[in-house]
Amino acid sequence: MVNDKGFYGTFGGAFIPEMLFANVEELKDRYLDIMSEPSFQEEMNQLLHDYVGRPTPLYFAKRLSQKYDANIYLKREDLNHTGAHKINNTIGQILLAQRLGKKRIIAETGAGQHGVATATVCALMGIECVVYMGEIDIERQAPNVSRMKMLGATVVPATSGSKTLKDATNEAIRDWINNPVDTHYIIGSVVGPHPYPDMVARFQAVISEEMKAQLLEQTGNEDPDIIVACVGGGSNAAGAFYHYLDTNTRLVAVEAAGLGIDSGESAATSVLGTKGIIHGSRTLLMQTPDGQIIEPYSISAGLDYPGIGPLHAHLIDTGRAEAISITDDEALDAAFMLTRLEGIIPALESAHAFASLEKMSWQSDDVIVINLSGRGDKDLSTYIKRMEEK
Amino acid sequence: MNRIDKIIHDKSRELLNIYFTAGYPHLDDTRDIILALDRAGTDIIEIGMPYSDPMADGPTIQESGTAAITNGMTLETLFGQLDKIREETQVPLLLMGYLNQVMQYGLEAFVASGKRVGIDGLIIPDLPMDIYEEEIKDIITEAGLHMIFLITPQTSSERIRKIDQLAGGFIYMVSSASITGARQEITPAQLDYFYRVNDMDLKNPRLIGFGISNHQTFQQACEFARGAIIGSAFIKHLAANKDRVVSATEEFVHSIRNEVSDKALS
Ligand SMILES: Cc1ncc(COP(=O)(O)O)c(C=O)c1O
């Protein structure tokens, strides 16, 4: 999929200052070898099984299927330890960091899910952990901030720019520049310079690997007709699409439209974005004609990112994946719909994926898999507010 | 002859290169700052193109960039401000910014505009060497511009050799593993690095940057290189003297050149 310089078609690469070169080069030279070591595989698989709780169930959502006249299955990433898919990646990267001899971990986080997943594996391994988080996200995802602190991580507010995920990522990159020898940067999505997008996609690929076996068992066919996943940077979607890239399965990437595509308050990168460079990757991003990165907006902190991983930029650009954008309101409605129909409170990010059911068409015997990337505990205050308003 | 090569040829030591952010503190300060820097004895001037997400820069430069963008600075405006600057000064001028800005302006248009106003070189820290070689080098060299590359204490000797082959003008030697503006004193580990690169006998001269803030650190850096680059310290000085940009600029350069007490600056 990715070439040796880290490009997916024309997207990707490693556009980094010299100060980061040695770190990124070390990672690039070693990630594939380390990941294929039997002892690495064994340790990772055991942790994913015993600690994270994998495989996660593939659940046939009967009432949801009735409502939408399709066969809808949910890939239950919300049932992972710490409540989202993010831990698939942090388990992999912490084992990698150990093999690189790193003594300190840094991470960025938006919704706090990746921060919690990173703080968790650092506690597990007894490694120092510093998480950068936008000041605004610290406010709107307060429970996750407390969890990170309880896990022993230092949470550093990012106060520059829009004070959200993009700025937390800038701060984490700067930390890495200042601490090049002992520190590993665990990026939380399929973004950043090569090899991150490929490495994170490989760690998340367990999602579609399990899906294949589970679908075969439950439906007799390992290929569904449609896979739907929300996209912030795109890691849960990359994991859900990974083993289906070369099939005929429709791949649907759901972005956050915020207050609406044309409202000026949006994070729908595939619609509003143009080709440019963000966080070391050539991809689609929201920017002014002068190349200044635009501050995005979404009610969901995990989707509030002005770029999109280069893999997704390539899939959308070549027509392999379709993009759908969902507003705050539509996502909130979908969260309540899923909760009442199936007894599952989804993360706001994942709720965007469910809202896309209102905007797609299919045949009634189609099999649709929705990647339920995380659970909604962290979003309860937003949901409570919504109930009070209605 | 490219003006950078000329100054390097004409002046054998203690080259002073100063960075400022275009459009800061006020949108229209660009020319005044360039001319004041030149008058006061700056050898090379780096004009920062303000960027929303300057990944290699520290808070001082980022904040000045944010303020400049808020002031309305764009590349179009900047090239307008630099129009005919060559009628007033022959000081070497570099543009420093990030690759996304150049991409959006269009590489060829950017080089043409730079050429038109009399730019001598570019510093684009997030431009990878291989992309430069494959996609950009021909356009830059054809226009007679120099692309300046950075090296750091982590850069391998092999890579430094390769950079030395590709680079024009000078090599920007980042003094320590850091973003701009992060350090104060020169440490023993940095000295080792300076000696190591000194011994490599590179074809390009080196200027040391990052953390150079006053006469003393400037002098120290000049012992190991042809000169030094100052950015954040100058921006801080401008920030403290927004109402008198020209005199503040001149006194800053004088303070670097001559042993004046740092207390005179604030
Ligand atoms: C539950 C959940 N889903 C999705 C995302 C978006 O990230 P990605 O696009 O990398 O999957 C996040 C990010 O925080 C998240 O917490």
Short mmCIF file of all heavy atoms in Angstrom, two decimals, chain A residues 135-159:
data_model
loop_
_atom_site.label_atom_id
_atom_site.label_comp_id
_atom_site.label_asym_id
_atom_site.label_seq_id
_atom_site.Cartn_x
_atom_site.Cartn_y
_atom_site.Cartn_z
N GLU A 135 -6.15 22.99 25.48
CA GLU A 135 -6.83 23.55 26.65
C GLU A 135 -8.35 23.37 26.56
O GLU A 135 -9.02 23.07 27.55
CB GLU A 135 -6.49 25.04 26.74
CG GLU A 135 -6.34 25.54 28.15
CD GLU A 135 -5.70 26.92 28.17
OE1 GLU A 135 -6.01 27.73 27.27
OE2 GLU A 135 -4.89 27.17 29.08
N ILE A 136 -8.89 23.55 25.36
CA ILE A 136 -10.34 23.42 25.18
C ILE A 136 -10.77 21.97 25.39
O ILE A 136 -11.79 21.68 26.03
CB ILE A 136 -10.74 23.90 23.77
CG1 ILE A 136 -10.56 25.42 23.71
CG2 ILE A 136 -12.18 23.50 23.44
CD1 ILE A 136 -10.93 26.03 22.38
N ASP A 137 -9.96 21.03 24.89
CA ASP A 137 -10.30 19.61 25.07
C ASP A 137 -10.20 19.19 26.53
O ASP A 137 -10.95 18.32 26.98
CB ASP A 137 -9.39 18.75 24.20
CG ASP A 137 -9.64 18.97 22.71
OD1 ASP A 137 -10.75 19.42 22.37
OD2 ASP A 137 -8.74 18.69 21.91
N ILE A 138 -9.27 19.80 27.26
CA ILE A 138 -9.14 19.49 28.69
C ILE A 138 -10.46 19.81 29.40
O ILE A 138 -10.93 19.05 30.25
CB ILE A 138 -7.96 20.26 29.31
CG1 ILE A 138 -6.65 19.64 28.84
CG2 ILE A 138 -8.04 20.26 30.85
CD1 ILE A 138 -5.39 20.27 29.41
N GLU A 139 -11.09 20.90 28.95
CA GLU A 139 -12.38 21.25 29.55
C GLU A 139 -13.48 20.29 29.14
O GLU A 139 -14.25 19.83 29.97
CB GLU A 139 -12.80 22.66 29.10
CG GLU A 139 -12.21 23.76 29.95
CD GLU A 139 -12.36 25.11 29.26
OE1 GLU A 139 -13.45 25.37 28.68
OE2 GLU A 139 -11.39 25.87 29.27
N ARG A 140 -13.56 19.99 27.82
CA ARG A 140 -14.73 19.23 27.38
C ARG A 140 -14.59 17.72 27.56
O ARG A 140 -15.54 16.99 27.32
CB ARG A 140 -15.13 19.60 25.95
CG ARG A 140 -14.11 19.33 24.88
CD ARG A 140 -14.67 19.75 23.52
NE ARG A 140 -13.59 19.79 22.53
CZ ARG A 140 -13.78 19.98 21.24
NH1 ARG A 140 -14.99 20.15 20.76
NH2 ARG A 140 -12.76 20.01 20.42
N GLN A 141 -13.39 17.25 27.92
CA GLN A 141 -13.21 15.81 28.14
C GLN A 141 -12.63 15.58 29.55
O GLN A 141 -11.71 14.77 29.73
CB GLN A 141 -12.29 15.22 27.07
CG GLN A 141 -12.79 15.42 25.65
CD GLN A 141 -13.96 14.52 25.27
OE1 GLN A 141 -14.14 13.46 25.82
NE2 GLN A 141 -14.77 14.96 24.33
N ALA A 142 -13.20 16.28 30.52
CA ALA A 142 -12.64 16.27 31.87
C ALA A 142 -12.45 14.87 32.48
O ALA A 142 -11.41 14.62 33.10
CB ALA A 142 -13.50 17.14 32.79
N PRO A 143 -13.41 13.94 32.32
CA PRO A 143 -13.20 12.63 32.94
C PRO A 143 -11.92 11.95 32.46
O PRO A 143 -11.22 11.31 33.24
CB PRO A 143 -14.43 11.83 32.51
CG PRO A 143 -15.46 12.84 32.15
CD PRO A 143 -14.72 14.04 31.64
N ASN A 144 -11.62 12.10 31.19
CA ASN A 144 -10.40 11.47 30.67
C ASN A 144 -9.13 12.12 31.22
O ASN A 144 -8.11 11.46 31.38
CB ASN A 144 -10.38 11.48 29.14
CG ASN A 144 -11.12 10.28 28.57
OD1 ASN A 144 -11.37 9.31 29.29
ND2 ASN A 144 -11.47 10.35 27.30
N VAL A 145 -9.20 13.43 31.50
CA VAL A 145 -8.05 14.10 32.10
C VAL A 145 -7.79 13.49 33.48
O VAL A 145 -6.65 13.17 33.83
CB VAL A 145 -8.28 15.62 32.19
CG1 VAL A 145 -7.10 16.30 32.88
CG2 VAL A 145 -8.50 16.20 30.80
N SER A 146 -8.84 13.29 34.24
CA SER A 146 -8.68 12.69 35.57
C SER A 146 -8.14 11.27 35.47
O SER A 146 -7.29 10.86 36.27
CB SER A 146 -10.02 12.66 36.31
OG SER A 146 -10.55 13.96 36.37
N ARG A 147 -8.63 10.53 34.49
CA ARG A 147 -8.13 9.16 34.33
C ARG A 147 -6.63 9.16 34.03
O ARG A 147 -5.87 8.39 34.61
CB ARG A 147 -8.87 8.45 33.18
CG ARG A 147 -10.32 8.11 33.52
CD ARG A 147 -11.09 7.76 32.26
NE ARG A 147 -10.91 6.37 31.83
CZ ARG A 147 -11.22 5.94 30.62
NH1 ARG A 147 -11.69 6.78 29.70
NH2 ARG A 147 -11.06 4.67 30.31
N MET A 148 -6.21 10.03 33.12
CA MET A 148 -4.77 10.09 32.79
C MET A 148 -3.94 10.41 34.03
O MET A 148 -2.90 9.81 34.26
CB MET A 148 -4.51 11.13 31.70
CG MET A 148 -4.95 10.67 30.33
SD MET A 148 -4.51 11.87 29.07
CE MET A 148 -5.96 12.89 29.01
N LYS A 149 -4.44 11.36 34.81
CA LYS A 149 -3.69 11.76 36.01
C LYS A 149 -3.63 10.60 37.01
O LYS A 149 -2.58 10.34 37.59
CB LYS A 149 -4.32 13.00 36.64
CG LYS A 149 -4.06 14.25 35.81
CD LYS A 149 -4.59 15.50 36.48
CE LYS A 149 -4.22 16.73 35.66
NZ LYS A 149 -5.07 17.89 35.99
N MET A 150 -4.76 9.93 37.18
CA MET A 150 -4.76 8.80 38.10
C MET A 150 -3.79 7.71 37.64
O MET A 150 -3.17 7.02 38.45
CB MET A 150 -6.19 8.23 38.23
CG MET A 150 -6.29 7.12 39.25
SD MET A 150 -7.99 6.78 39.69
CE MET A 150 -7.76 5.30 40.67
N LEU A 151 -3.66 7.58 36.34
CA LEU A 151 -2.73 6.58 35.77
C LEU A 151 -1.27 7.03 35.89
O LEU A 151 -0.37 6.28 35.51
CB LEU A 151 -3.08 6.32 34.30
CG LEU A 151 -4.36 5.51 34.08
CD1 LEU A 151 -4.91 5.72 32.67
CD2 LEU A 151 -4.11 4.02 34.33
N GLY A 152 -1.06 8.25 36.37
CA GLY A 152 0.30 8.70 36.62
C GLY A 152 0.90 9.54 35.51
O GLY A 152 2.09 9.88 35.57
N ALA A 153 0.11 9.89 34.50
CA ALA A 153 0.64 10.70 33.41
C ALA A 153 0.63 12.18 33.79
O ALA A 153 -0.17 12.61 34.61
CB ALA A 153 -0.19 10.49 32.14
N THR A 154 1.54 12.93 33.19
CA THR A 154 1.50 14.39 33.30
C THR A 154 0.72 14.91 32.10
O THR A 154 1.06 14.59 30.96
CB THR A 154 2.93 14.96 33.25
OG1 THR A 154 3.71 14.30 34.25
CG2 THR A 154 2.93 16.46 33.49
N VAL A 155 -0.33 15.68 32.36
CA VAL A 155 -1.12 16.24 31.26
C VAL A 155 -0.72 17.70 31.09
O VAL A 155 -0.85 18.50 32.01
CB VAL A 155 -2.63 16.13 31.54
CG1 VAL A 155 -3.43 16.73 30.39
CG2 VAL A 155 -3.02 14.67 31.77
N VAL A 156 -0.18 18.02 29.90
CA VAL A 156 0.29 19.39 29.64
C VAL A 156 -0.70 20.09 28.71
O VAL A 156 -0.94 19.60 27.60
CB VAL A 156 1.69 19.38 28.99
CG1 VAL A 156 2.19 20.80 28.77
CG2 VAL A 156 2.67 18.59 29.84
N PRO A 157 -1.29 21.21 29.14
CA PRO A 157 -2.23 21.90 28.25
C PRO A 157 -1.52 22.56 27.07
O PRO A 157 -0.47 23.17 27.24
CB PRO A 157 -2.86 22.98 29.15
CG PRO A 157 -2.12 22.98 30.43
CD PRO A 157 -1.11 21.87 30.43
N ALA A 158 -2.08 22.38 25.88
CA ALA A 158 -1.58 23.10 24.70
C ALA A 158 -2.40 24.38 24.59
O ALA A 158 -3.62 24.33 24.45
CB ALA A 158 -1.74 22.25 23.45
N THR A 159 -1.69 25.51 24.66
CA THR A 159 -2.40 26.78 24.73
C THR A 159 -2.29 27.59 23.44
O THR A 159 -2.82 28.68 23.36
CB THR A 159 -1.84 27.64 25.88
OG1 THR A 159 -0.43 27.78 25.68
CG2 THR A 159 -2.08 26.98 27.23
#
